Amino acid sequence: MRYSALALLRGALSGGRSWQPAWRSPEPKAAYDVLIVGGGGHGLASAYYLARNHGVRNVAVLERGWLGGGNTGRNTTIVRSNYLYPESARLYDFSLRLYEGLSRELNFNLMLSQRGLIDLAHSRHDLDSMARWVNSMHMNGIDARLLSREEIAARLPLLDVSPEARYPVLGGFEQPRGGTARHDAVAWGYARAADALGVDIVQNCEVTGFLRGGHGEVTGVTTSRGTIRAQRIGLAAAGHSSVLAALAGFRLPVTSYALQAMVSEPVKPALDAVVLSPGTGAYLSQSDKGEMVIGAGLDLFASYAQRGSFAVLQGVVAATLALFPSFSRLKLLRQWAGNVDVVHDSSPIIGPTPVPELFINCGWGTGGFKAIPAGGWTLAHVLATGRSHPLAEPFQLERFHSGRLIDEAAAAGIAH
Amino acid sequence: MPGYRLPAPAGQCIDRQQRVGFTFNGRAYQGYAGDTLAAALLANGVHRVARSFKLHRPRGVWGCGLEEPCALVDVGSGPRRTPNVRATLLPISEGLSVRSVNCWPGPEFDVGAVSGWLAPLLPAGFYYKTFMWPSWRAFEPTIRRMAGFGRIGTEPDPDHYEEIALQPDVLVVGAGIAGLAAAAAAARAGARTVLLGASARLGGQCAWQEDAEAAGLAAAVRAAGVRILTRTTAFGVYDHALVCAHETVTADGAAQLPACVLRERLWKIRARAVIAATGAFERPVLFADNDRPGVMLASAALKFAGAYGVACGRRAVMIANSDAAYAQAARLRAHGIEVAALVDVRPGPHPPTEVPRLLGEVHAVHGARAVAGVSVRTGAGLRHLACDLLLSSGGFAPAVHLHSQAGGRLRFLEESAMFVPDGPAPSLVSVGACAGMFGREAVLAHARAVGEALARECPAPAAAPDGCGRSAPLRPVAGKAFVDLQNDVTSADVALAARENYRSVEHLKRYTTTGMGTDQGKTSNLNALLLMAQLTGQPAAAVGTTRFRPPFAPVSFGALAGRRVGALYRPLRRLPAHAWHESHGAQFEIFGDWVRPVAYPQAGEDLNAAAQREALAVRRQAGLFDGSPLGKLEVYGPDAAEFLDLMYVGTLSNLGIGQARYGLLLNENGTLVDDGIVARLSARRFWVNTTTAGVERTAAAFEEWLQCEYPHLRVLITPVTARWANLTVAGPRAWDWLAAAGLDGALAPGRTRHMSLTDSALDGVPLRVLRASFSGELGYEINLPAERAAWLFERVWAHAAAVRGSLYGIEALQILRTEKGYLHIGTDTDGTTQPQDVGFARGVARKAADFVGRRSLLRPAAQDPERLQLVGLLGVDPTQVLPVGAHIAPGPAPAVSEGHVTSSYRSPELGRGVALALLKAGTRRSGERLTAYHLGRAFAAEVVMPPFIDPTGARLHG
Amino acid sequence: MMQLPCPWCGVRDESEFVCGGASHIVRPGLSASDAEWGSYLFFRDNPKGPLRERWRHAYGCGQWFNLMRDTLTHQVLSVYPMAEPPPAGG
């Protein structure tokens, strides 16, 4: 069924009985053309684009828990494409452009809110770095503008821009098309659209091993719900990429870390942009519900625990108050952590693995949410054609041997 | 309106002798000292306190503590304005001024209530299904204004917060009778015991009843020497059983407060054993219009009566899905509150009661603005009951939050429809109601046994969760039956989620927003998942709970940050001679974590003019600079030389004593991470300068290599940055100046060489003098004990006039080093730059041995001829200073960038702009004309090889 | 927030330590192939469960040591000096 204001009216008149399941809960079949392991945003998007772009509809998405329950449901919902290098800029801006049309394409309101994403400069060195950054973005064909201190003060009235501040604000830059999207809706929207195209989304189905053929190629998986065969398999299980790789017999250049985030109780509108302060490490925005959504740094030790260190939490709150002192009397409502795949250059891996017919989408580090459409699109491409999508060519495992890393963080001196 | 005060002894927590005036939405009211705002409003007959989140329905007080979903207020004004305070937790104080949230103009009449008329169009998740055309952004501002509760303040918080760590043997969380019994037993058994109580009084729900046993337990706890923290709520169990708790020190809203008070305190408690005694929350019964002001939890009405002497109505009807309702009804009657009927929704058998009992379910709540009656569907048809208070008593949900956070598992008790701990959690044991135990004798015996066992480091005896009796299964209810009152989630919304296959408990929560409000679902999560279980035909245990995450109750950001605010947030470092620079006209700026002079402007000069003058003074006469933050390490030991050869791109083991050499440091990936001068003090001792920002990571990297990869090398690394100040004199007359100041003639340019280090002294103060230069001029970097820095500045400065010497700051230093083409790590390099990109290809090639990062320089990427390399740029228009960050490209944007300008200044010596840039294949492109683009403007420039001045380096030698 | 046992100073809060990642990674020489060098630099087991890693008591004695820790529960399983081989059974 199509969602619309009219559908809501019909729903009201029918007492809700006109609504249909957003997706089925099918029993897995014995075999599919393609299996996607991981029912988060990237996995669901991959399945959707396999069906939509390539006509490959005999596809199942296998999800260990509930769909969208990994990092798709545990992030700070930021979308942006403010990258320095052309390789990254092309990939992430492609993603943002897909996001821009996605609510209508999927017929599911993802609440894409391009309210602008502002990076703060706290020193003259920051101003110089941001000039480089803005010019890079212009070269890459991406919207960006430098902001003066006064422009920032006008946009962010509660920000402490006084010269006495520990992190004084000297200026900054904005990507006007940056913003947020409703994270759960991205998973649900893709799930519903993929399901409508015939994709089986199988929840509570944990992959426990890989079946191999005579040439070492994967031919299927064993799962908590039985054996499922497939001609090709894509892994999109951020946080657990290494665990699956180990099951398939190879290693990845990945370490799993806990990444924390938190929200405050909801308040009336007080912050109408996404704000990042590279100097303090804080990044935050206000959700449509009114909660301040605040991102933290990584807990810098390997973890699969989905909970963060209290000391890191305190540091992030202190950083937030350094920028917005009046938030002191606001209350923390929820905190959580996701498990992120961190690779040395903070850029993704999308392409073949050492195992024939097994492909992977991983390594997004702390920034996978914004890349969901592009990650799905490019994984679907390689799964359908056997060849890497041109956008994904720079993002292969091979770069860790050749040294051709695409290290945005190091180049910008900024964490993702 | 129905609320009124009861005579004593009701009102254990209030002082009827002390009247307190406060205002609510601008109207003045009075209460008693000890009242919460909720109690005082109820006593004044105020039943409409706020409006709900989505539908703006009028709401009254529903609970009596932190579970309160409805009665939120904004407290105070100005810098102490505090949003979303629960009226049930806020003590009133003279002059308190509060406003309702989420309504305009007020909770009685609210324009936003228009959304209530549209309610049928706004089921759970309606926003996912519409607002897509033309785009969400067209609707978002309006919806954002409708959402949110209170308003955040706009001024910095004047109050402060502190943090205290404790390491007791046993921590008991919760000061109800179970917690008291456990704490007393633990302390009597010899354990250092800490007890946390959420309210000001001990005894939990017994604190406001006349309960001799509870009073006796409280006395026993005190007598046993338990450390008691009241008004303190444990909000999280973190790794390795760190319990974090939050104490309210100064209640919000008092009109008469000093300029700054200690508002809240954070406790970090690491106990050998933790006992949770956090009780249970009452579970409401589900019926249509259960949000009408006048409907509330039975336990809340009891607390208002007992603790504050407030009757919430004159004629109550109790809706029961639990045996507890019978005792509650009896106690209400004992307070003199009429209970017109007890409606039991369960089939029999039922306990005896003196209250008229009906068997049936609520059909409708009457009264448009507040409860006026209820009709009940019984076996004998509909019965109308007039009442002004409708109490919901649906059994209890144990507060298993801490147990779950600690990693404990849960199981479902079918009869009582509650989740209880399935055995203890790692390092946390539950007692009392939070363990699913509700019988007083059993609870006390178990709590005592647990306290004593844990004190003696023995295993705790198992709990025997028996629940709180029978409760009927929850069934979907038609109409506006609210599961989550704060977020306006109805029974129909849960049914919609089930119908649309948002059936996982996490999908249910996220799709309907159940439990995502400020009350965190204390009274709604359990009902929502029980409903989902009913709707989908699953056992409740299979639906499961959402994860219990900290915080258990909202905690202010101020308390979490503690003293890490203002100047104490990442405190800045000051130069040893900071005051001296201040008195000599320095303009300071923050560089990393240091405050440093950026320039010393004279009258009428701006920063640029001052830096130009200062830089020129260094070129023409001499300048004096404070280089104290420069990183300094001493590397000592028989294998120190071998170790440094492994660390640096260059070879250092062949340095003679007293010689110095510039070196580059790479990480193992081959990236340039630091640079600096290394000097040999003796055969076994080296003086290592690093960049200011890089000293800590360099010292850490040295230690890691030494301890983890080369443990056989006998080397000690000592960071000495803070011990040594650094006073730098540079310029053609640098030595004249220093000689005039009395430095030893042995340091004269003829007697020392560029890149040498000499130990000297002045007036008995040891000086470590390095002949080196970051300006390209004759340079002396004089290191001396930090506490003598100001003395030496004064001593040298006294002789400035003789050479027309000048002070210079960071900005002039940057001009000077750019003129000279000296790179600045992190400015002229980034995380991709390797030594061959900055002119050190031959240096790498010359060295045969391995060093950190060397193998990475042999990979294909390192051999790529198109790498970015450091070059000089001269603008074709000499008056132009190329903008830093401008990109070199074949045409205007969008285009493929070929590099960017990294440093750029007007050179006062050359009278023109000079710049450094990272440029693709740069070293092959000398003489090429190209264009740099900055924000749409084009700048023509020519590639040159730096330095821009003194290419032979003659000036370095004086 | 974890508590870690420094072999020299005893049990301290996590915030005094710095984690150096997986331990017992053998550094190849200059003659290593690009593949061997890349594996050494970047590729890790990254298990969900017991992991041998190295930590430094950075804001204490400054010493590195080995720790076996469960990456799912964060439970510390064993501690041993830097120079020692991993204990059996890990």
Side-chain angles (χ1 to χ4, degrees):
Chain A
M1 73 179 300
R2 246 196 110 60
Y3 290 161
S4 64
L6 200 66
L8 281 170
L9 188 62
R10 213 176 309 127
L13 295 174
S14 73
R17 279 183 293 277
S18 62
W19 297 113
Q20 302 294 314
W23 47 78
R24 299 161 296 131
S25 292
E27 281 301 313
K29 295 191 287 189
Y32 291 89
D33 293 344
V34 178
L35 283 179
I36 309 275
V37 182
H42 283 271
L44 294 165
S46 301
Y48 169 71
Y49 290 120
L50 267 173
R52 197 204 78 154
N53 293 355
H54 304 283
V56 181
R57 297 184 173 204
N58 186 20
V59 174
V61 177
L62 308 183
E63 167 54 45
R64 187 170 62 112
W66 38 283
L67 67 89
N71 294 334
T72 306
R74 306 169 191 278
N75 58 72
T76 50
T77 78
I78 297 171
V79 296
R80 61 185 174 91
S81 61
N82 53 345
Y83 283 78
L84 278 170
Y85 290 127
E87 296 88 343
S88 316
R90 276 196 292 269
L91 182 70
Y92 288 102
D93 205 54
F94 179 69
S95 201
L96 186 53
R97 286 203 309 275
L98 287 175
Y99 261 129
E100 284 166 347
L102 205 54
S103 287
R104 276 186 273 168
E105 178 179 339
L106 300 179
N107 180 231
F108 202 98
N109 187 358
L110 311 180
M111 293 182 229
L112 176 69
S113 172
Q114 292 177 295
R115 60 186 74 165
L117 177 135
I118 296 173
D119 276 83
L120 301 177
H122 297 298
S123 67
R124 287 191 292 139
H125 180 262
D126 284 356
L127 285 175
D128 288 347
S129 304
M130 287 180 185
R132 175 189 172 193
W133 204 340
V134 165
N135 286 319
S136 271
M137 290 170 67
H138 288 171
M139 285 294 155
N140 294 328
I142 293 169
D143 60 319
R145 59 199 192 99
L146 281 175
L147 298 177
S148 68
R149 178 177 167 277
E150 291 68 32
E151 286 171 304
I152 286 178
R155 283 286 295 281
L156 307 171
L158 297 184
L159 179 70
D160 184 359
V161 295
S162 63
E164 300 77 38
R166 170 65 184 85
Y167 282 85
V169 175
L170 275 62
F173 85 97
E174 179 184 21
Q175 182 181 20
R177 287 163 63 235
T180 61
R182 172 90 185 111
H183 57 354
D184 292 327
V186 174
W188 299 342
Y190 273 120
R192 175 167 163 268
D195 178 88
L197 292 173
V199 171
D200 281 356
I201 300 167
V202 186
Q203 302 182 69
N204 302 309
C205 180
E206 182 172 5
V207 169
T208 53
F210 290 88
L211 305 175
R212 306 291 275 268
H215 306 287
E217 79 278 13
V218 287
T219 57
V221 292
T222 56
T223 78
S224 55
R225 297 176 68 171
T227 295
I228 308 173
R229 298 200 168 266
Q231 290 163 22
R232 280 199 177 133
I233 299 177
L235 305 180
H240 282 74
S241 302
S242 297
V243 174
L244 287 167
L247 286 178
F250 64 98
R251 296 199 303 177
L252 288 169
V254 165
T255 304
S256 297
Y257 290 104
L259 176 67
Q260 297 194 59
M262 66 190 90
V263 299
S264 75
E265 56 191 349
V267 287
K268 291 293 177 191
L271 177 63
D272 193 27
V274 182
V275 183
L276 291 93
S277 159
T280 64
Y283 53 101
L284 63 158
S285 65
Q286 188 174 15
S287 74
D288 289 329
K289 273 191 78 180
E291 301 153 325
M292 296 296 169
V293 183
I294 304 175
L298 292 169
D299 290 10
L300 287 173
F301 51 86
S303 174
Y304 286 87
Q306 289 194 336
R307 65 169 178 268
S309 165
F310 189 69
V312 171
L313 173 88
Q314 287 191 293
V316 176
V317 171
T320 304
L321 297 189
L323 303 173
F324 295 97
S326 77
F327 288 12
S328 175
R329 297 172 93 91
L330 189 63
K331 291 184 274 293
L332 170 75
L333 187 56
R334 288 190 299 278
Q335 63 167 117
W336 65 90
N339 290 140
V340 296
D341 291 350
V342 174
V343 297
H344 184 86
D345 62 357
S346 308
S347 287
I349 300 161
I350 317 163
T353 68
V355 178
E357 306 303 337
L358 182 64
F359 299 85
I360 195 163
N361 161 333
C362 75
W364 297 96
T366 62
F369 175 70
K370 61 179 172 290
I372 284 172
W377 186 289
T378 51
L379 182 64
H381 186 277
V382 72
L383 282 167
T385 66
R387 292 185 309 278
S388 279
H389 189 279
L391 285 173
E393 269 168 19
F395 300 101
Q396 303 299 312
L397 271 172
E398 171 275 337
R399 74 180 189 271
F400 297 96
H401 300 303
S402 70
R404 288 196 176 83
L405 304 184
I406 301 165
D407 200 338
E408 289 282 336
I414 282 166
H416 280 239
Chain B
M1 296 301 279
Y4 60 97
R5 289 280 179 187
L6 297 163
Q12 296 279 311
C13 300
I14 57 168
D15 176 359
R16 293 183 198 245
Q17 305 308 310
Q18 217 182 318
R19 289 188 167 275
V20 175
F22 66 98
T23 66
F24 174 65
N25 290 328
R27 269 188 69 179
Y29 294 95
Q30 286 211 323
Y32 294 120
D35 268 336
T36 61
L37 175 66
L41 288 173
L42 288 165
N44 279 284
V46 178
H47 265 222
R48 292 184 163 210
V49 181
R51 290 273 173 164
S52 68
F53 194 85
K54 185 166 93 176
L55 303 176
H56 286 245
R57 286 169 68 101
R59 293 283 162 81
V61 175
W62 163 266
C64 59
L66 63 80
E67 78 286 359
E68 174 59 41
C70 299
L72 298 181
V73 293
D74 278 2
V75 178
S77 58
R80 286 202 168 104
R81 180 179 188 123
T82 309
N84 301 344
V85 176
R86 278 156 294 193
T88 50
L89 293 180
L90 178 70
I92 58 166
S93 52
E94 190 61 40
L96 174 73
S97 167
V98 302
R99 290 165 306 280
S100 297
V101 299
N102 208 35
C103 49
W104 185 85
E108 293 292 328
F109 174 76
D110 169 31
V111 170
V114 63
S115 59
W117 307 342
L118 301 174
L121 289 171
L122 311 176
F126 69 96
Y127 31 79
Y128 298 123
K129 296 171 176 166
T130 183
F131 303 133
M132 286 177 264
W133 194 91
S135 76
W136 169 242
R137 196 64 180 148
F139 303 93
E140 189 185 31
T142 312
I143 287 175
R144 292 189 79 181
R145 278 194 298 276
M146 297 280 287
F149 283 121
R151 285 184 198 283
I152 201 168
T154 58
E155 298 168 55
D157 189 345
D159 295 331
H160 70 264
Y161 302 82
E162 68 178 25
E163 176 178 318
I164 299 181
L166 291 178
Q167 287 95 22
D169 296 325
V170 175
L171 169 68
V172 181
V173 182
I177 54 165
L180 292 173
R188 277 202 217 101
R192 290 173 305 122
T193 305
V194 170
L195 173 68
L196 309 185
S199 68
R201 298 161 71 98
L202 299 182
Q205 58 172 325
C206 304
W208 31 267
Q209 300 169 27
E210 292 191 61
D211 187 325
E213 191 171 23
L217 283 168
V221 160
R222 291 196 185 90
V226 172
R227 180 164 184 186
I228 301 164
L229 305 176
T230 57
R231 299 205 289 176
T232 304
T233 303
F235 63 82
V237 182
Y238 294 85
D239 268 335
H240 298 182
L242 173 71
V243 174
C244 293
H246 166 268
E247 178 186 356
T248 303
V249 180
T250 307
D252 285 326
Q256 304 297 325
L257 282 181
C260 172
V261 297
L262 176 61
R263 182 170 175 242
E264 293 165 8
R265 192 178 279 132
L266 180 74
W267 294 89
K268 288 181 171 172
I269 307 172
R270 204 71 86 177
R272 208 185 60 220
V274 182
I275 300 174
T278 46
F281 293 102
E282 188 161 40
R283 188 159 72 86
V285 184
L286 207 54
F287 50 88
D289 295 319
N290 58 344
D291 67 326
R292 190 83 79 232
V295 181
M296 68 196 308
L297 295 175
S299 56
L302 266 176
K303 178 169 181 183
F304 285 117
Y308 311 107
V310 175
C312 297
R314 296 189 181 273
R315 191 177 149 87
V317 168
M318 174 89 74
I319 313 299
N321 187 14
S322 156
D323 288 348
Y326 289 76
Q328 289 170 325
R331 280 166 54 199
L332 278 175
R333 282 161 57 98
H335 279 298
I337 298 169
E338 182 189 351
V339 181
L342 191 155
V343 180
D344 200 321
V345 305
R346 305 169 300 169
H350 301 104
T353 175
E354 293 171 17
V355 177
R357 174 168 49 206
L358 293 177
L359 299 186
E361 290 185 348
V362 173
H363 172 68
V365 176
H366 304 296
R369 299 171 61 84
V371 171
V374 59
S375 42
V376 178
R377 207 181 311 112
T378 69
L382 280 186
R383 281 280 304 276
H384 283 268
L385 298 165
C387 65
D388 57 11
L389 181 63
L390 201 49
L391 299 177
S392 188
S393 176
F396 293 92
V400 294
H401 307 68
L402 298 184
H403 167 83
S404 291
Q405 288 177 22
R409 295 194 318 209
L410 299 175
R411 65 189 173 91
F412 189 69
L413 281 189
E414 201 68 49
E415 186 192 35
S416 300
M418 62 172 63
F419 283 92
V420 298
D422 186 12
S427 57
L428 180 143
V429 179
S430 297
V431 300
C434 73
M437 295 176 66
F438 289 82
R440 180 179 281 221
E441 274 173 38
V443 161
L444 291 177
H446 178 245
R448 278 194 199 101
V450 167
E452 190 175 326
L454 293 179
R456 300 192 196 287
E457 301 190 51
C458 301
D466 47 5
C468 61
R470 198 161 46 88
S471 101
L474 206 57
R475 273 192 294 272
V477 177
K480 290 258 162 316
F482 288 90
V483 176
D484 180 326
L485 272 76
Q486 185 170 104
N487 279 348
D488 286 335
V489 182
T490 63
S491 170
D493 290 323
V494 177
L496 180 65
R499 172 181 287 276
E500 296 191 271
N501 205 11
Y502 293 91
R503 293 183 174 200
S504 135
V505 66
E506 285 282 354
H507 287 159
L508 168 66
K509 168 183 124 180
R510 288 155 185 260
Y511 189 62
T512 63
T513 72
T514 302
M516 297 187 84
T518 62
D519 59 326
Q520 299 163 311
K522 298 283 187 296
T523 60
S524 59
N525 283 342
L526 182 58
N527 276 349
L529 78 87
L530 292 177
L531 261 186
M532 181 57 83
Q534 275 291 321
L535 285 160
T536 57
Q538 304 174 79
V543 175
T545 65
T546 55
R547 252 174 108 146
F548 291 90
R549 297 183 181 284
F552 168 66
V555 185
S556 74
F557 283 178
L560 292 167
R563 304 303 297 268
R564 300 167 189 81
V565 291
L568 294 179
Y569 175 66
R570 299 192 189 167
L572 288 166
R573 302 175 74 176
R574 284 161 184 261
L575 300 174
H578 182 89
W580 189 89
H581 295 293
E582 210 164 20
S583 65
H584 288 75
Q587 177 180 330
F588 290 96
E589 222 173 83
I590 298 170
F591 295 88
D593 46 8
W594 287 92
V595 185
R596 305 184 67 176
V598 63
Y600 301 79
Q602 297 176 352
E605 278 184 341
D606 65 6
L607 172 60
N608 263 329
Q612 291 281 317
R613 172 183 51 74
E614 291 168 9
L616 199 60
V618 174
R619 293 267 177 253
R620 299 285 159 81
Q621 294 94 27
L624 174 58
F625 176 79
D626 194 331
S628 300
L630 191 69
K632 306 168 201 80
L633 306 173
E634 281 204 22
V635 177
Y636 170 78
D639 300 320
E642 185 184 346
F643 175 71
L644 291 173
D645 278 355
L646 286 164
M647 295 297 105
Y648 278 86
V649 172
T651 304
L652 297 164
S653 53
N654 59 7
L655 271 179
I657 291 167
Q659 284 183 339
R661 191 169 290 156
Y662 174 74
L664 296 179
L665 285 165
L666 311 185
N667 62 19
E668 191 73 316
N669 193 33
T671 302
L672 203 45
V673 289
D674 210 79
D675 68 346
I677 288 169
V678 180
R680 191 164 206 161
L681 296 167
S682 71
R684 300 178 155 208
R685 187 185 293 271
F686 289 81
W687 172 263
V688 173
N689 279 145
T690 71
T691 61
T692 299
V695 63
E696 280 172 27
R697 65 171 179 261
T698 300
F702 280 7
E703 284 288 355
E704 185 166 10
W705 284 111
L706 183 63
Q707 293 184 37
C708 302
E709 189 64 33
Y710 305 112
H712 60 283
L713 295 182
R714 293 158 298 166
V715 180
L716 285 175
I717 297 150
T718 313
V720 294
T721 304
R723 279 298 301 133
W724 295 86
N726 173 315
L727 175 150
T728 292
V729 179
R733 302 200 63 191
W735 172 246
D736 299 344
W737 192 352
L738 290 172
L743 264 74
D744 188 345
L747 296 166
R751 299 172 63 187
T752 57
R753 296 213 327 240
H754 177 58
M755 298 303 271
S756 68
L757 187 143
T758 314
D759 277 334
S760 180
L762 180 65
D763 291 1
V765 177
L767 307 179
R768 186 160 277 178
V769 182
L770 180 66
R771 277 278 314 274
S773 176
F774 200 40
S775 61
E777 302 296 330
L778 170 66
Y780 286 86
E781 295 184 6
I782 303 167
N783 299 284
L784 77 162
E787 61 276 15
R788 304 309 300 269
W791 163 80
L792 188 60
F793 270 99
E794 190 58 35
R795 173 81 171 254
V796 172
W797 186 242
H799 300 275
V803 295
R804 294 201 285 125
S806 170
L807 286 160
Y808 68 106
I810 296 274
E811 192 69 1
L813 181 80
Q814 295 286 4
I815 295 171
L816 292 163
R817 67 100 192 157
T818 303
E819 287 177 331
K820 201 51 194 166
Y822 290 149
L823 68 88
H824 188 231
I825 296 274
T827 299
D828 304 298
T829 68
D830 65 22
T832 65
T833 308
Q834 297 182 344
Q836 69 274 26
D837 306 328
V838 296
F840 280 79
R842 283 202 318 204
V844 174
R846 262 205 308 271
K847 184 168 172 179
D850 195 8
F851 54 86
V852 171
R854 171 156 216 169
R855 177 62 187 79
S856 289
L857 304 180
L858 305 174
R859 292 177 303 190
Q863 313 294 321
D864 188 340
E866 297 296 301
R867 292 183 63 84
L868 295 177
Q869 293 167 325
L870 190 66
V871 297
L873 286 185
L874 287 174
V876 169
D877 175 353
T879 65
Q880 269 182 344
V881 177
L882 298 174
V884 173
H887 274 252
I888 298 140
V896 178
S897 169
E898 296 178 2
H900 60 278
V901 177
T902 58
S903 296
S904 180
Y905 293 91
R906 179 184 179 276
S907 160
E909 174 80 358
L910 301 174
R912 59 157 302 138
V914 296
L916 299 174
L918 282 170
L919 179 66
K920 234 175 227 180
T923 44
R924 296 202 313 268
R925 295 170 71 173
S926 187
E928 188 179 320
R929 289 282 284 271
L930 41 69
T931 311
Y933 295 89
H934 177 67
L935 304 180
R937 286 175 63 203
F939 297 81
E942 183 182 335
V943 180
V944 297
M945 287 301 127
F948 298 100
I949 61 159
D950 189 25
T952 63
R955 293 186 184 199
L956 294 166
H957 306 290
Chain C
M1 189 153 64
M2 299 187 293
Q3 285 193 306
L4 301 178
C6 170
W8 313 102
C9 308
V11 172
R12 302 293 179 90
D13 269 354
E14 169 194 318
S15 43
E16 292 184 19
F17 297 85
V18 167
C19 181
S23 213
H24 309 294
I25 307 290
V26 178
R27 183 175 194 255
L30 282 175
S31 58
S33 69
D34 285 347
E36 286 162 348
W37 187 252
S39 295
Y40 153 71
L41 277 181
F42 302 120
F43 288 75
R44 296 291 179 266
D45 284 340
N46 193 30
K48 181 179 186 173
L51 169 67
R52 288 184 293 268
E53 56 190 2
R54 67 192 193 204
W55 287 77
R56 183 184 185 213
H57 192 192
Y59 303 98
C61 63
Q63 294 303 297
W64 283 93
F65 57 92
N66 285 312
L67 185 77
M68 188 152 72
R69 186 178 61 92
D70 189 304
T71 58
L72 182 60
T73 64
H74 292 181
Q75 193 188 350
V76 174
L77 303 170
S78 66
V79 184
Y80 53 101
M82 204 58 239
E84 277 184 20

